Short mmCIF file of all heavy atoms in Angstrom, two decimals:
data_model
loop_
_atom_site.label_atom_id
_atom_site.label_comp_id
_atom_site.label_asym_id
_atom_site.label_seq_id
_atom_site.Cartn_x
_atom_site.Cartn_y
_atom_site.Cartn_z
N VAL A 985 -9.22 -14.60 3.55
CA VAL A 985 -7.77 -14.57 3.79
C VAL A 985 -7.12 -15.82 3.19
O VAL A 985 -6.05 -15.74 2.57
CB VAL A 985 -7.46 -14.48 5.30
CG1 VAL A 985 -5.97 -14.70 5.56
CG2 VAL A 985 -7.88 -13.13 5.85
N THR A 986 -7.77 -16.96 3.32
CA THR A 986 -7.26 -18.20 2.72
C THR A 986 -7.09 -18.04 1.22
O THR A 986 -6.05 -18.39 0.65
CB THR A 986 -8.21 -19.37 3.02
OG1 THR A 986 -8.25 -19.61 4.43
CG2 THR A 986 -7.76 -20.64 2.31
N LYS A 987 -8.09 -17.50 0.56
CA LYS A 987 -8.03 -17.30 -0.88
C LYS A 987 -6.95 -16.30 -1.27
O LYS A 987 -6.24 -16.48 -2.26
CB LYS A 987 -9.40 -16.86 -1.39
CG LYS A 987 -10.47 -17.94 -1.28
CD LYS A 987 -11.80 -17.47 -1.86
CE LYS A 987 -12.83 -18.60 -1.80
NZ LYS A 987 -14.15 -18.19 -2.37
N ALA A 988 -6.82 -15.23 -0.50
CA ALA A 988 -5.81 -14.22 -0.80
C ALA A 988 -4.40 -14.78 -0.66
O ALA A 988 -3.51 -14.48 -1.48
CB ALA A 988 -6.00 -13.01 0.12
N LEU A 989 -4.19 -15.60 0.36
CA LEU A 989 -2.86 -16.19 0.58
C LEU A 989 -2.45 -17.09 -0.58
O LEU A 989 -1.34 -17.00 -1.10
CB LEU A 989 -2.85 -16.98 1.88
CG LEU A 989 -2.80 -16.17 3.18
CD1 LEU A 989 -3.09 -17.07 4.37
CD2 LEU A 989 -1.45 -15.49 3.35
N THR A 990 -3.36 -17.99 -0.99
CA THR A 990 -3.01 -18.92 -2.07
C THR A 990 -2.84 -18.19 -3.40
O THR A 990 -1.99 -18.56 -4.21
CB THR A 990 -4.08 -20.01 -2.21
OG1 THR A 990 -5.38 -19.40 -2.35
CG2 THR A 990 -4.10 -20.91 -0.98
N LYS A 991 -3.63 -17.15 -3.62
CA LYS A 991 -3.53 -16.39 -4.87
C LYS A 991 -2.20 -15.63 -4.95
O LYS A 991 -1.55 -15.60 -6.00
CB LYS A 991 -4.70 -15.41 -4.97
CG LYS A 991 -4.70 -14.59 -6.26
CD LYS A 991 -5.90 -13.67 -6.32
CE LYS A 991 -5.90 -12.85 -7.61
NZ LYS A 991 -7.09 -11.94 -7.68
N LYS A 992 -1.78 -15.03 -3.84
CA LYS A 992 -0.57 -14.20 -3.85
C LYS A 992 0.71 -15.01 -3.70
O LYS A 992 1.74 -14.68 -4.30
CB LYS A 992 -0.64 -13.17 -2.71
CG LYS A 992 -1.69 -12.10 -2.90
CD LYS A 992 -1.64 -11.08 -1.78
CE LYS A 992 -2.67 -9.98 -1.98
NZ LYS A 992 -2.59 -8.94 -0.91
N PHE A 993 0.66 -16.10 -2.90
CA PHE A 993 1.91 -16.76 -2.54
C PHE A 993 1.94 -18.25 -2.88
O PHE A 993 2.97 -18.90 -2.67
CB PHE A 993 2.17 -16.59 -1.04
CG PHE A 993 2.13 -15.16 -0.59
CD1 PHE A 993 1.11 -14.70 0.23
CD2 PHE A 993 3.10 -14.27 -0.99
CE1 PHE A 993 1.06 -13.39 0.65
CE2 PHE A 993 3.07 -12.94 -0.59
CZ PHE A 993 2.04 -12.50 0.23
N GLY A 994 0.84 -18.81 -3.38
CA GLY A 994 0.83 -20.22 -3.71
C GLY A 994 0.76 -21.09 -2.46
O GLY A 994 0.44 -20.62 -1.36
N GLY A 995 1.03 -22.36 -2.63
CA GLY A 995 1.00 -23.28 -1.51
C GLY A 995 -0.42 -23.68 -1.14
O GLY A 995 -1.37 -23.49 -1.90
N VAL A 996 -0.55 -24.23 0.07
CA VAL A 996 -1.84 -24.71 0.57
C VAL A 996 -2.10 -24.07 1.93
O VAL A 996 -1.20 -23.98 2.77
CB VAL A 996 -1.83 -26.25 0.72
CG1 VAL A 996 -3.13 -26.74 1.34
CG2 VAL A 996 -1.60 -26.91 -0.64
N VAL A 997 -3.32 -23.62 2.15
CA VAL A 997 -3.72 -23.01 3.42
C VAL A 997 -4.80 -23.85 4.06
O VAL A 997 -5.80 -24.19 3.41
CB VAL A 997 -4.22 -21.57 3.21
CG1 VAL A 997 -4.63 -20.95 4.56
CG2 VAL A 997 -3.15 -20.71 2.55
N GLU A 998 -4.60 -24.19 5.33
CA GLU A 998 -5.58 -25.01 6.05
C GLU A 998 -6.00 -24.32 7.34
O GLU A 998 -5.16 -23.77 8.05
CB GLU A 998 -4.97 -26.37 6.38
CG GLU A 998 -4.61 -27.20 5.16
CD GLU A 998 -3.93 -28.51 5.53
OE1 GLU A 998 -3.59 -28.69 6.72
OE2 GLU A 998 -3.72 -29.34 4.62
N LEU A 999 -7.28 -24.36 7.62
CA LEU A 999 -7.79 -23.90 8.91
C LEU A 999 -7.42 -24.95 9.95
O LEU A 999 -7.74 -26.13 9.79
CB LEU A 999 -9.30 -23.72 8.85
CG LEU A 999 -10.00 -23.32 10.16
CD1 LEU A 999 -9.55 -21.93 10.62
CD2 LEU A 999 -11.52 -23.35 9.97
N ARG A 1000 -6.73 -24.53 11.00
CA ARG A 1000 -6.29 -25.49 12.01
C ARG A 1000 -7.48 -25.95 12.85
O ARG A 1000 -8.18 -25.13 13.46
CB ARG A 1000 -5.22 -24.89 12.92
CG ARG A 1000 -4.58 -25.93 13.85
CD ARG A 1000 -3.56 -25.32 14.78
NE ARG A 1000 -2.44 -24.72 14.07
CZ ARG A 1000 -1.40 -24.15 14.69
NH1 ARG A 1000 -1.38 -24.08 16.01
NH2 ARG A 1000 -0.42 -23.61 13.97
N MET A 1001 -7.68 -27.26 12.88
CA MET A 1001 -8.80 -27.83 13.61
C MET A 1001 -8.35 -28.32 14.99
O MET A 1001 -7.22 -28.78 15.16
CB MET A 1001 -9.42 -28.98 12.83
CG MET A 1001 -9.89 -28.57 11.42
SD MET A 1001 -11.07 -27.19 11.43
CE MET A 1001 -12.51 -27.99 12.15
N ALA A 1002 -9.24 -28.22 15.95
CA ALA A 1002 -8.94 -28.66 17.31
C ALA A 1002 -8.93 -30.18 17.39
O ALA A 1002 -9.54 -30.86 16.57
CB ALA A 1002 -9.96 -28.08 18.29
N VAL A 1003 -8.24 -30.70 18.40
CA VAL A 1003 -8.14 -32.14 18.59
C VAL A 1003 -9.19 -32.64 19.56
O VAL A 1003 -9.88 -33.63 19.30
CB VAL A 1003 -6.74 -32.53 19.09
CG1 VAL A 1003 -6.66 -34.02 19.40
CG2 VAL A 1003 -5.68 -32.14 18.05
N ASN A 1004 -9.37 -31.96 20.67
CA ASN A 1004 -10.27 -32.45 21.72
C ASN A 1004 -11.56 -31.63 21.81
O ASN A 1004 -12.23 -31.64 22.84
CB ASN A 1004 -9.56 -32.44 23.07
CG ASN A 1004 -8.44 -33.46 23.12
OD1 ASN A 1004 -8.60 -34.58 22.63
ND2 ASN A 1004 -7.31 -33.09 23.70
N LYS A 1005 -11.89 -30.91 20.76
CA LYS A 1005 -13.17 -30.22 20.67
C LYS A 1005 -13.60 -30.21 19.22
O LYS A 1005 -12.77 -30.34 18.31
CB LYS A 1005 -13.08 -28.77 21.20
CG LYS A 1005 -12.21 -27.86 20.35
CD LYS A 1005 -12.28 -26.41 20.80
CE LYS A 1005 -13.50 -25.68 20.31
NZ LYS A 1005 -13.51 -25.41 18.85
N ALA A 1006 -14.87 -30.05 19.00
CA ALA A 1006 -15.37 -29.95 17.64
C ALA A 1006 -15.07 -28.55 17.11
O ALA A 1006 -15.24 -27.56 17.81
CB ALA A 1006 -16.87 -30.23 17.61
N GLY A 1007 -14.63 -28.48 15.87
CA GLY A 1007 -14.40 -27.18 15.25
C GLY A 1007 -12.95 -26.75 15.29
O GLY A 1007 -12.05 -27.51 15.65
N PRO A 1008 -12.69 -25.50 14.92
CA PRO A 1008 -11.31 -25.01 14.79
C PRO A 1008 -10.67 -24.67 16.13
O PRO A 1008 -11.35 -24.47 17.14
CB PRO A 1008 -11.48 -23.75 13.94
CG PRO A 1008 -12.85 -23.26 14.28
CD PRO A 1008 -13.68 -24.50 14.48
N VAL A 1009 -9.35 -24.58 16.10
CA VAL A 1009 -8.59 -24.06 17.24
C VAL A 1009 -8.95 -22.60 17.42
O VAL A 1009 -9.06 -21.84 16.45
CB VAL A 1009 -7.07 -24.20 16.98
CG1 VAL A 1009 -6.26 -23.39 18.00
CG2 VAL A 1009 -6.65 -25.66 17.01
N VAL A 1010 -9.15 -22.20 18.66
CA VAL A 1010 -9.42 -20.79 18.99
C VAL A 1010 -8.28 -20.30 19.88
O VAL A 1010 -7.97 -20.91 20.90
CB VAL A 1010 -10.78 -20.64 19.71
CG1 VAL A 1010 -11.01 -19.18 20.09
CG2 VAL A 1010 -11.91 -21.16 18.85
N THR A 1011 -7.65 -19.20 19.49
CA THR A 1011 -6.51 -18.69 20.23
C THR A 1011 -6.93 -18.02 21.54
O THR A 1011 -8.12 -17.81 21.79
CB THR A 1011 -5.73 -17.66 19.40
OG1 THR A 1011 -6.52 -16.46 19.27
CG2 THR A 1011 -5.41 -18.21 18.02
N ASP A 1012 -5.94 -17.66 22.36
CA ASP A 1012 -6.23 -16.93 23.59
C ASP A 1012 -6.90 -15.59 23.31
O ASP A 1012 -7.51 -15.00 24.20
CB ASP A 1012 -4.93 -16.68 24.37
CG ASP A 1012 -4.39 -17.94 25.02
OD1 ASP A 1012 -5.07 -18.99 24.95
OD2 ASP A 1012 -3.28 -17.89 25.61
N ASN A 1013 -6.78 -15.11 22.07
CA ASN A 1013 -7.39 -13.83 21.69
C ASN A 1013 -8.75 -14.02 21.03
O ASN A 1013 -9.36 -13.04 20.58
CB ASN A 1013 -6.46 -13.09 20.70
CG ASN A 1013 -5.05 -12.99 21.22
OD1 ASN A 1013 -4.82 -12.57 22.35
ND2 ASN A 1013 -4.08 -13.38 20.40
N GLY A 1014 -9.23 -15.26 20.95
CA GLY A 1014 -10.53 -15.53 20.35
C GLY A 1014 -10.53 -15.61 18.84
O GLY A 1014 -11.59 -15.50 18.20
N ASN A 1015 -9.36 -15.84 18.24
CA ASN A 1015 -9.25 -15.88 16.79
C ASN A 1015 -8.97 -17.29 16.28
O ASN A 1015 -8.78 -18.22 17.07
CB ASN A 1015 -8.13 -14.93 16.33
CG ASN A 1015 -8.43 -13.48 16.70
OD1 ASN A 1015 -9.55 -13.02 16.53
ND2 ASN A 1015 -7.43 -12.77 17.19
N PHE A 1016 -8.92 -17.44 14.93
CA PHE A 1016 -8.60 -18.70 14.29
C PHE A 1016 -7.14 -18.71 13.84
O PHE A 1016 -6.50 -17.65 13.75
CB PHE A 1016 -9.49 -18.93 13.06
CG PHE A 1016 -10.93 -19.22 13.37
CD1 PHE A 1016 -11.88 -19.26 12.34
CD2 PHE A 1016 -11.38 -19.45 14.67
CE1 PHE A 1016 -13.21 -19.53 12.61
CE2 PHE A 1016 -12.71 -19.72 14.95
CZ PHE A 1016 -13.62 -19.75 13.90
N ILE A 1017 -6.63 -19.91 13.54
CA ILE A 1017 -5.28 -20.07 13.02
C ILE A 1017 -5.36 -20.73 11.64
O ILE A 1017 -5.98 -21.78 11.47
CB ILE A 1017 -4.41 -20.96 13.93
CG1 ILE A 1017 -4.23 -20.33 15.31
CG2 ILE A 1017 -3.05 -21.25 13.28
CD1 ILE A 1017 -3.26 -19.19 15.35
N LEU A 1018 -4.72 -20.09 10.67
CA LEU A 1018 -4.51 -20.70 9.36
C LEU A 1018 -3.06 -21.16 9.28
O LEU A 1018 -2.15 -20.45 9.72
CB LEU A 1018 -4.77 -19.69 8.23
CG LEU A 1018 -6.18 -19.13 8.11
CD1 LEU A 1018 -6.23 -18.10 6.99
CD2 LEU A 1018 -7.19 -20.24 7.85
N ASP A 1019 -2.83 -22.35 8.74
CA ASP A 1019 -1.47 -22.85 8.52
C ASP A 1019 -1.19 -22.81 7.02
O ASP A 1019 -1.81 -23.55 6.24
CB ASP A 1019 -1.33 -24.27 9.06
CG ASP A 1019 -1.36 -24.30 10.58
OD1 ASP A 1019 -0.55 -23.59 11.21
OD2 ASP A 1019 -2.21 -25.02 11.15
N TRP A 1020 -0.26 -21.93 6.64
CA TRP A 1020 0.10 -21.77 5.23
C TRP A 1020 1.30 -22.65 4.92
O TRP A 1020 2.41 -22.38 5.38
CB TRP A 1020 0.41 -20.31 4.92
CG TRP A 1020 1.02 -20.10 3.57
CD1 TRP A 1020 0.60 -20.64 2.39
CD2 TRP A 1020 2.17 -19.30 3.27
NE1 TRP A 1020 1.43 -20.23 1.36
CE2 TRP A 1020 2.39 -19.40 1.87
CE3 TRP A 1020 3.01 -18.50 4.04
CZ2 TRP A 1020 3.44 -18.74 1.24
CZ3 TRP A 1020 4.06 -17.84 3.40
CH2 TRP A 1020 4.26 -17.96 2.02
N LYS A 1021 1.08 -23.70 4.15
CA LYS A 1021 2.15 -24.62 3.76
C LYS A 1021 2.72 -24.15 2.42
O LYS A 1021 2.18 -24.45 1.35
CB LYS A 1021 1.61 -26.04 3.67
CG LYS A 1021 1.09 -26.54 5.03
CD LYS A 1021 0.54 -27.95 4.96
CE LYS A 1021 0.04 -28.39 6.32
NZ LYS A 1021 -0.54 -29.76 6.31
N PHE A 1022 3.77 -23.37 2.51
CA PHE A 1022 4.38 -22.78 1.32
C PHE A 1022 5.13 -23.84 0.52
O PHE A 1022 5.58 -24.85 1.05
CB PHE A 1022 5.31 -21.63 1.70
CG PHE A 1022 6.34 -21.98 2.75
CD1 PHE A 1022 7.59 -22.45 2.39
CD2 PHE A 1022 6.04 -21.85 4.10
CE1 PHE A 1022 8.54 -22.77 3.35
CE2 PHE A 1022 6.98 -22.17 5.08
CZ PHE A 1022 8.24 -22.63 4.69
#
């Protein structure tokens, strides 16, 4: 998804990392968050 976003729309895509745990932020639905900086 990260590659598809940058290819189609440009900008920078970052996987949101957690602050008080190791690894990425996990949503209430058990998913990850990408931040697309257009």
Side-chain angles (χ1 to χ4, degrees):
V985 170
T986 296
K987 293 183 177 180
L989 285 168
T990 53
K991 181 178 180 180
K992 291 183 179 182
F993 307 111
V996 176
V997 180
E998 297 176 351
L999 176 65
R1000 189 182 298 182
M1001 303 304 290
V1003 175
N1004 293 319
K1005 67 173 280 290
V1009 167
V1010 178
T1011 70
D1012 287 355
N1013 308 310
N1015 298 317
F1016 290 171
I1017 297 285
L1018 297 177
D1019 290 305
W1020 170 46
K1021 298 179 180 179
F1022 53 91

